[in-house]
């Protein structure tokens, strides 16, 4: 287990509407986020994430979309600050996701739905085809839909921007996003065995 995963303490939460317990902030999720957000070590200096439209980013992918703490390009953060902010932000994302589940999700499903929401936002994950499948109890199909549609096409692997000359939204395939979605699918389904 990585230092990051040991530093953030999991929380077992009773989910009354779903009639059971879930674990927020699991070590598997923390390690997964570190792998895909910053690699071997957290980014301790705030940078502009080019793939995300130059959004100021720090630690393991902390942005204004997951934390209310101001993130200023060039500012230096400490490991301790990253750990505290990441734990609070991940818990916030997971608590936003839980009401979207109509069934108590297996741990691997909650973890990878959380990764998806960390990267794309809880509303996108809640409105996804994956969530529709999970809410029917089709856990494996939902896991597959994190990375591929039912027709086999890649999904959630594109960035977008508005083309200034036409005003049209343009999508660009990103292999790194496809790789992340594939890893999420594998870990999501792998935990169902």
């Amino acid at each position: 287990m990585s230092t990051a995963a040991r530093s953030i303490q999991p929380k077992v939460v009773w989910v009354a509407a779903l009639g059971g317990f879930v674990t927020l902030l699991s070590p598997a999720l923390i390690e997964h986020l570190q792998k895909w957000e910053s690699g071997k070590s957290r980014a301790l200096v705030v940078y502009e994430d080019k793939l995300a439209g130059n959004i100021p980013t720090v630690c393991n992918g902390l942005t204004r979309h997951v934390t209310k703490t101001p993130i200023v390009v060039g500012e230096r953060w400490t490991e301790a600050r990253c750990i505290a902010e990441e734990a609070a932000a991940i818990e916030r994302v997971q608590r936003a996701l839980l009401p979207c589940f109509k069934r108590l999700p297996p741990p691997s499903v909650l973890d990878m739905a959380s990764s998806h929401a960390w990267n794309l936002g809880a509303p996108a994950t809640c409105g996804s085809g994956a969530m529709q499948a999970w809410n029917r109890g089709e856990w494996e199909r939902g896991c597959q839909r994190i990375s591929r549609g039912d027709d086999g096409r890649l999904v959630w692997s594109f960035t977008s921007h508005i083309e200034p000359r036409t005003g049209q939204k343009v999508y660009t395939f990103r292999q790194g996003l496809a790789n992340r979605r594939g890893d999420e699918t594998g870990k999501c389904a792998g935990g169902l065995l």
Side-chain angles (χ1 to χ4, degrees):
M1 185 183 320
S2 71
T3 304
R6 284 192 304 272
S7 300
I8 297 176
Q9 298 300 311
K11 290 185 179 182
V12 177
V13 176
W14 170 253
V15 186
L18 300 176
F21 294 94
V22 294
T23 301
L24 303 183
L25 308 167
S26 79
L29 172 60
I30 306 304
E31 287 182 7
H32 177 82
L33 289 176
Q34 179 147 355
K35 172 184 177 181
W36 288 104
E37 293 293 347
S38 60
K40 295 184 185 198
S41 62
R42 289 179 173 91
L44 297 179
V45 176
V46 180
Y47 65 95
E48 290 182 345
D49 186 336
K50 304 295 183 219
L51 286 180
N54 296 326
I55 294 173
T57 305
V58 70
C59 306
N60 284 324
L62 281 175
T63 68
R64 68 175 184 257
H65 298 297
V66 296
T67 184
K68 294 177 190 209
T69 300
I71 300 175
V72 180
V73 173
E75 186 176 62
R76 180 169 288 284
W77 286 39
T78 64
E79 282 282 332
R81 184 176 181 192
C82 282
I83 289 166
E85 289 292 335
E86 286 170 14
I90 293 167
E91 184 174 351
R92 222 178 351 266
V93 166
Q94 289 187 304
R95 287 185 183 275
L97 279 179
L98 282 173
C100 301
F101 284 98
K102 305 296 182 242
R103 299 168 186 261
L104 195 65
S108 66
V109 170
L110 179 59
D111 283 348
M112 293 305 104
S114 300
S115 172
H116 188 272
W118 184 264
N119 190 221
L120 299 159
T125 305
C126 288
S128 70
M131 187 62 72
Q132 292 171 3
W134 292 327
N135 283 332
R136 291 191 301 268
E138 298 172 3
W139 303 113
E140 193 169 339
R141 185 178 203 178
C143 292
Q144 185 60 47
R145 285 180 172 180
I146 291 174
S147 62
R148 293 191 178 269
D150 291 340
D151 60 3
R153 286 192 223 167
L154 291 170
V155 295
W156 305 109
S157 300
F158 302 83
T159 57
S160 65
H161 70 277
I162 302 298
E163 176 58 47
R165 291 174 292 165
T166 64
Q168 298 292 319
K169 189 178 249 189
V170 176
Y171 293 92
T172 304
F173 173 75
R174 301 292 182 186
Q175 186 62 55
L177 290 176
N179 294 346
R180 179 177 180 154
R181 299 288 89 83
D183 192 29
E184 287 167 349
T185 288
K187 289 174 179 170
C188 181
L192 300 175
L193 305 176

